[in-house]
Amino acid sequence: MNRPAHGELHHVEIWVPDLDRALASLGWLLQALGYTVSQSWDTGRSWLLGPTYLVLEQSPALTADRHDRRRPGLNHLAFHVEDATTVEMLTVDATQHGWSLMFPELHPHAGGKQHYAAYLENTDGFEVELVAINTPQLN
């Protein structure tokens, strides 16, 4: 593992209402983005990419059964994706894994003309943004 930089994100833990659904959507996406499973237990999994890891856990202490990105707390996670072609490929594949495209009428520029991204929401209300690192030049 590479030595992390001072201030770099260590990990993110996401509590999910249903671990199996989370594994089908978020677990699939993390693996598609290059994360590898680093730990597994009855109520959770963790995925590692470089020095950062993400945890999905179905905690008995949950107070709701759906994520609401409009409430205080985490709104969404945004991931770098190699290019626009890969963003589109992942967006199409995501629909087979419990995701739907948000703001389809604005896709792929829902974040602005110079921002090529897909905004996806899973069945539990969790949002991710897939942002192209290399974007096509606009005329």
Side-chain angles (χ1 to χ4, degrees):
M1 176 166 55
N2 297 332
R3 184 183 188 285
H6 177 84
E8 188 172 11
L9 190 63
H10 184 269
H11 74 277
V12 174
E13 183 170 329
I14 301 168
W15 281 10
V16 298
D18 185 288
L19 183 60
D20 290 334
R21 279 197 312 262
L23 293 175
S25 63
L26 284 160
W28 164 81
L29 180 61
L30 292 172
Q31 288 185 268
L33 292 172
Y35 286 78
T36 58
V37 174
S38 75
Q39 293 180 323
S40 180
W41 59 100
D42 289 345
T43 59
R45 302 286 182 287
S46 68
W47 285 264
L48 182 66
L49 182 62
T52 304
Y53 68 95
L54 282 95
V55 177
L56 301 179
E57 185 171 11
Q58 184 175 342
S59 171
L62 279 172
T63 60
D65 62 357
R66 182 170 167 79
H67 178 75
D68 186 346
R69 65 186 174 79
R70 291 163 289 196
R71 295 190 64 161
L74 182 67
N75 178 270
H76 70 280
L77 293 177
F79 296 95
H80 290 289
V81 174
E82 186 59 37
D83 53 30
T85 300
T86 307
V87 168
E88 295 306 322
M89 180 192 68
L90 287 169
T91 300
V92 169
D93 290 350
T95 63
Q96 302 302 309
H97 297 276
W99 296 97
S100 59
L101 181 64
M102 302 171 72
F103 323 114
E105 69 284 359
L106 300 172
H107 178 75
H109 298 290
K113 289 183 180 183
Q114 301 301 321
H115 187 72
Y116 196 104
Y119 296 81
L120 304 171
E121 182 177 35
N122 73 6
T123 55
D124 288 320
F126 193 80
E127 179 186 347
V128 297
E129 180 181 350
L130 305 177
V131 182
I133 297 167
N134 297 310
T135 59
Q137 297 299 317
L138 298 175
N139 295 330

